[in-house]
Amino acid sequence: MTLWNRYVFRRGAEVQDMWDQMFQQRRRANSGVRLLYVGGRGFDLRAQSVMDRFIGSVISSGCSVEKAELLLVGFRGYQLSDELVDVTEANALALERRFAVIGATRTVMIESTAEGEDDLSASNALRLGTEEVLRAVSDQTDIVLDVSSLPRIAYLSLMLALLDRLVPNRNAPVPLAASKINLQILVGEDAGLDSMIQSEDPSNELVLIPGFASALQTESTRDWPLVWFPVLGENRVSQLQKVMYDQIPDSAEICPVLPHPSRDPRRGDRLLIEYKVPLFDVSKTPLTNVLYAHESNPFEAYRQLLGAMKRYQKSLSVIGGCRLVVTPLASKLITLGAALACYEMKLDIVNGNYGVAIPYAEPKRYSVSTAALRASTPDVSAMVLTGEAYA
């Protein structure tokens, strides 16, 4: 049985209903809220919409806020236009002001240097920043990770690290109860805006999500067959090629993952055309290898990818084992579902006959029209991964 065989996922008006029920129940039980809210110090204005709705629900419920802290995770090293730099600063200030009605804000920077050390690799910088966020986890009743204005590598690392902290092990009687600590992942989802954000100049140094590198770094498994699941999204061909040429052997089994069902029924077709050269002309990937993941339901995407990974793991165990590699290039909800599949596969490694890795070529430059950012009207989605709902 999968970990999230039963899951809690809401979007749109249903999110508000869930929060109202959750926090009003706390008020009736005379139980307070101790909140850690982790968000991004980025240019994506969708984060303001998400925070507005969440804080409004907490306040309107009348429950007591015993303590609340906002951690804004920022990055140095990206090349942004002056206009996007200004939007980033204004966005951070707006988020801090909104949160001030219930608590204080602290900024955590992820950067390529650290006190007393030489320049860090991107993977080590990510690991140190994630550890800094984890140090803020103490006696909270609620932990919120808002991925709306976080880079992909950041929210994947943070979500997977928080799950590692809160879920003791899969074999616990009720692993997702997590001492009744509610871990929510919030998303201001607008696939149209995501497709307009251009990511350019992928770094020459691949980033490996902390804890998910064994399939590419363990010498004893280097001769095992490798199965690669690139989860495709718009405007990411250069990143895919960087991962492919650096880490994916010619003998690899490639299983591209496309969004389906999708709001745009032709989206999958356009992605096949966009990635035609590297995946189908050069690598000769058969179309029968293409997998489909639900665009708008991360738990369904998780099940679909998890099922494929388990089938390969089982069939290749007869020759010793296999390596499973996932490169997330799609919009946020599918990416989160793919990460949950990797998390569960990692938990299931008992006999050591497979490894899981998440390599990513982080862009050094992002560009998007500020008019498009301001015009976005995102759907707010909430995934509850641990806590009372699973007790």
Side-chain angles (χ1 to χ4, degrees), residues 74-195:
F75 291 78
R76 292 194 177 97
Y78 289 111
Q79 300 170 23
L80 303 176
S81 67
D82 290 343
E83 193 173 21
L84 281 183
V85 169
D86 291 342
V87 170
T88 299
E89 295 302 319
N91 194 31
L93 184 59
L95 292 171
E96 186 171 347
R97 286 174 174 168
R98 282 165 164 77
F99 199 82
V101 298
I102 61 170
T105 298
R106 180 160 59 94
T107 297
V108 173
M109 296 301 297
I110 296 179
E111 48 194 330
S112 58
T113 58
E115 186 176 350
E117 298 192 32
D118 295 330
D119 287 350
L120 298 170
S121 69
S123 297
N124 280 333
L126 186 61
R127 176 181 54 81
L128 291 173
T130 301
E131 289 172 355
E132 177 71 15
V133 172
L134 288 180
R135 281 193 280 273
V137 177
S138 56
D139 63 343
Q140 286 87 3
T141 59
D142 294 85
I143 299 174
V144 169
L145 175 61
D146 178 3
V147 309
S148 305
S149 195
L150 280 168
R152 185 177 278 103
I153 56 166
Y155 67 73
L156 288 177
S157 298
L158 291 169
M159 183 184 80
L160 293 167
L162 287 167
L163 281 171
D164 271 342
R165 171 66 65 87
L166 298 179
V167 179
N169 60 73
R170 186 188 171 114
N171 296 320
V174 191
L176 295 181
S179 303
K180 296 186 178 180
I181 300 172
N182 295 312
L183 171 61
Q184 290 189 62
I185 312 298
L186 306 185
V187 185
E189 179 73 357
D190 181 348
L193 176 59
D194 286 337
S195 69

Side-chain angles (χ1 to χ4, degrees), residues 16 20 23 27 51-65 98-102:
Q16 195 69 52
D20 290 345
F23 295 121
R27 178 179 56 79
M51 182 180 284
D52 275 344
R53 298 184 198 185
F54 182 82
I55 292 178
S57 184
V58 172
I59 293 173
S60 65
S61 70
C63 68
S64 170
V65 179
R98 282 165 164 77
F99 199 82
V101 298
I102 61 170

Side-chain angles (χ1 to χ4, degrees), residues 173-235:
V174 191
L176 295 181
S179 303
K180 296 186 178 180
I181 300 172
N182 295 312
L183 171 61
Q184 290 189 62
I185 312 298
L186 306 185
V187 185
E189 179 73 357
D190 181 348
L193 176 59
D194 286 337
S195 69
M196 287 188 277
I197 298 176
Q198 300 287 326
S199 57
E200 303 162 348
D201 299 336
S203 172
N204 288 326
E205 180 189 358
L206 287 183
V207 182
L208 291 166
I209 301 299
F212 291 83
S214 63
L216 295 175
Q217 292 187 337
T218 305
E219 285 293 330
S220 61
T221 65
R222 191 168 294 277
D223 293 332
W224 285 358
L226 185 146
V227 186
W228 183 37
F229 301 91
V231 188
L232 304 183
E234 289 82 0
N235 307 315

